Amino acid sequence: MQRNYHLEQAESQEFDICIIGGGATGAGCLLDAQSRGLKAILIEKHDFASETSSKSTKLIHGGVRYLEQAVKQADLNQYHMVKKALRERLTLIRNAPHLAHPLALLTPCMSWMEGIYYTAGLKMYDTLSGELSIGKSEWLNKEETLRRNPAMTHKIHSAVLYYDGQLNDARYNMSLVKTAMQYGAVALNHAEARTFEKNASGRLVVLYVRDSLTGRLLRIRAKRFINATGPFADRIRLLANPDMGLRMRVSKGVHIIVPGELMPSDTAILVPKTDDGRVVFIIPYNGKLMIGTTETESELAESEPVVERAEVEYLINYVNRYFEKPIRADQVIAGFAGLRPLLQADPNADTKQLVRDHEVEVDKLSGLISILGGKWTTYRLMAKDTIDKFYELEGVTETPCTTDHIKLVGAEGYADDFWKVLVSKYGVEETVAQHLNRQYGTESLEIVQLMREQPDWNQRLSDHLPITKAEVVFVVRAEMAQTLKDVLARRFGLELTDWQSTEQITETVADLMAVELGWTPEERRKAVFNYQAELEWFKKSAGLVF
């Protein structure tokens, strides 16, 4: 089994780099380091992309609001952050076109003056993209706007059309890890950093890691340790050096999901302003409609953040200001909440004002490298800066970063119509083939091979879902999925978009996992009970009844 191999590798060698944290930044560091010829290992307390990196707005963007703040406040730092992010969009799309693509968005204008204001701002947004632009903005009149998105309120004056990118964040994260593994990297999920061992001068030399699934304690040796734990960065910083000051603040972001037919359009909406200065997106995603995000000051906790009723009502309130036909709370079918890492700047600053840029920090006493702050769009630059810092500290000749053109697994040979090959050559049902193509790219062939080996695995998990049993087996065998939540929340993303469907297929998924992972009947029963109880808690917290 793949995970057992990685467990053995973790203790059998000394690594150049040990990365703590399996989100986008940690996975990016793993791929960057290993592709440069370094020996790298990544350990993640829960599962790859289990925290912030699977709970984003699924956008690859520079940040329209950050550009507005940069101009209004004459803030060059925010300006340069937006410019960097905009130039990374196309790289992310090129490296995994099955998981990322351009997305058209409309910014509603309620007056002629708003139209001029937003057009000017979005033209600047275009300019900052330079030759890496993914689409030019355009001011549309009312008729053109409603033709493009008929769900929008007829009270609008016009709208500005512009482009950003959209990605399947959890699968992109998983693909980074798998690509790094192809280069020879070691990676472990459900492996918690417990304590460091230091040499006589106080430098970190060993990390003790507990395998949460077996209780086994691992001893990992490395030249340098990288802290890429996002909102939880201070915990690792203090574990390495208790005298370090706190650097992180966090905000809670919430998204809700409603049926896709409530907005019959592939063009998203950016609600440009709210009463408290935030922006809200209304975005088509995997056949559903995603609405978010809130942004409120929060505290770290061991429990997973949840959507609350007041947050549901807040988001619906803003959607209904821009929709012709109001959305009701009882139409919400799922939601998710995540914590965002914000670099401590002014301790009294509102979290909406903190810059999303990143910083590579080195603790001189312990030698810990921490990558702090940042956002999904700039994960690759964050990783590059972090691994560059490793070379600088070690005083060795730097091998150049090449991740700007490394294709992720599933991208080689990919085409938007690759699904037709699955239909014509292998007889895969059309809807299933299209789904596989979007989720796995050319890796779909491995799932098709499982279908051919075991005909029973051709069966869908549900009549209204394109997911087959073979897909469950694949993510357990090839992607280290160890729990129901690993499969349903991260590998499939279903928990985040459809609570009822997730609950309906839990038993079938558990049956397949029990065989693959050797669960006893009692372990299987407990896994199902605990997971379904968690789904009920999500519904109750959001004040929703199905």
Side-chain angles (χ1 to χ4, degrees), residues 155-173:
K155 296 177 182 178
I156 60 164
H157 170 272
S158 55
V160 181
L161 174 70
Y162 77 102
Y163 293 85
D164 262 323
Q166 185 175 54
L167 85 164
N168 183 330
D169 52 8
R171 288 225 55 83
Y172 205 109
N173 197 144

Side-chain angles (χ1 to χ4, degrees), residues 411-428:
E412 289 291 350
Y414 170 80
D416 288 342
D417 61 354
F418 179 75
W419 63 269
K420 293 179 181 177
V421 175
L422 305 182
V423 174
S424 61
K425 189 173 181 180
Y426 301 102
V428 178

Side-chain angles (χ1 to χ4, degrees), residues 3-139:
R3 188 171 184 276
N4 287 337
Y5 169 79
H6 285 259
L7 281 168
E8 297 307 318
Q9 290 298 306
E11 285 196 303
S12 65
Q13 55 185 298
E14 181 177 357
F15 297 90
D16 294 306
I17 290 173
C18 174
I19 300 155
I20 306 167
T25 306
C29 287
L30 186 70
L31 176 57
D32 193 318
Q34 195 73 32
S35 63
R36 296 201 209 190
L38 299 172
K39 291 168 64 177
I41 181 172
L42 178 149
I43 62 118
E44 161 58 42
K45 180 178 179 179
H46 298 298
D47 184 31
F48 309 118
S50 59
E51 299 288 349
T52 308
S53 293
S54 63
K55 295 169 181 175
S56 73
T57 310
K58 325 297 183 191
L59 289 178
I60 313 167
H61 64 134
V64 173
R65 173 160 59 89
Y66 307 143
L67 178 59
E68 183 180 31
Q69 290 176 358
V71 173
K72 285 183 175 178
Q73 300 167 12
D75 188 336
L76 281 178
N77 288 331
Q78 295 223 54
Y79 174 85
H80 289 303
M81 183 201 71
V82 173
K83 186 173 182 178
K84 284 189 298 186
L86 285 173
R87 288 171 172 264
E88 277 296 293
R89 291 181 310 182
L90 190 57
T91 301
L92 269 69
I93 293 171
R94 284 174 174 169
N95 287 351
H98 55 304
L99 298 173
H101 56 86
L103 175 71
L105 298 99
L106 289 168
T107 302
C109 307
M110 305 309 289
S111 68
W112 180 76
M113 286 300 295
E114 281 192 354
I116 292 176
Y117 180 77
Y118 294 131
T119 298
L122 289 166
K123 286 297 180 186
M124 183 183 297
Y125 200 64
D126 291 345
T127 301
L128 288 179
S129 305
E131 71 281 3
L132 299 179
S133 171
I134 59 174
K136 297 297 183 184
S137 61
E138 182 182 0
W139 190 1

Side-chain angles (χ1 to χ4, degrees), residues 278-467:
R278 311 170 197 177
V279 297
V280 171
F281 290 96
I282 308 167
I283 303 175
Y285 183 72
N286 282 355
K288 306 292 196 305
L289 196 59
M290 181 171 62
I291 302 164
T293 178
T294 62
E295 188 165 331
T296 52
E297 184 90 27
S298 187
E299 298 291 335
L300 288 178
E302 290 301 322
S303 58
E304 181 176 354
V306 295
V307 180
E308 297 174 7
R309 180 68 182 194
E311 293 163 330
V312 173
E313 293 172 351
Y314 171 91
L315 290 170
I316 287 177
N317 172 49
Y318 279 103
V319 171
N320 288 342
R321 295 185 189 187
Y322 290 89
F323 266 28
E324 183 66 15
K325 185 176 180 180
I327 289 176
R328 306 185 311 273
D330 63 9
Q331 292 174 305
V332 175
I333 59 174
F336 58 93
L339 298 177
R340 296 168 177 195
L342 304 174
L343 258 177
Q344 181 81 359
D346 177 359
N348 297 314
D350 189 300
T351 55
K352 296 188 293 294
Q353 302 298 321
L354 295 185
V355 177
R356 263 55 170 187
D357 212 348
H358 66 272
E359 176 187 328
V360 180
E361 175 198 75
V362 180
D363 176 35
K364 293 181 180 179
L365 179 63
S366 68
L368 178 71
I369 303 172
S370 294
I371 173 66
L372 307 172
K375 52 190 271 185
W376 235 117
T377 308
T378 55
Y379 89 86
R380 195 191 67 81
L381 296 179
M382 295 166 67
K384 177 184 181 300
D385 289 350
T386 305
I387 305 307
D388 285 350
K389 180 62 70 174
F390 167 83
Y391 279 105
E392 177 189 323
L393 293 170
E394 291 298 305
V396 295
T397 303
E398 180 180 316
T399 302
C401 171
T402 60
T403 54
D404 57 338
H405 62 263
I406 291 178
K407 297 284 189 184
L408 302 190
V409 291
E412 289 291 350
Y414 170 80
D416 288 342
D417 61 354
F418 179 75
W419 63 269
K420 293 179 181 177
V421 175
L422 305 182
V423 174
S424 61
K425 189 173 181 180
Y426 301 102
V428 178
E429 186 183 342
E430 185 172 309
T431 306
V432 172
Q434 290 172 341
H435 159 76
L436 290 175
N437 198 36
R438 287 192 303 269
Q439 292 281 99
Y440 306 94
T442 51
E443 271 198 304
S444 300
L445 293 172
E446 296 182 35
I447 298 173
V448 171
Q449 186 60 36
L450 290 172
M451 293 177 175
R452 302 183 82 182
E453 290 176 9
Q454 175 58 265
D456 179 59
W457 291 343
N458 279 293
Q459 294 178 10
R460 292 187 184 212
L461 297 176
S462 167
D463 290 340
H464 66 280
L465 293 174
I467 308 171

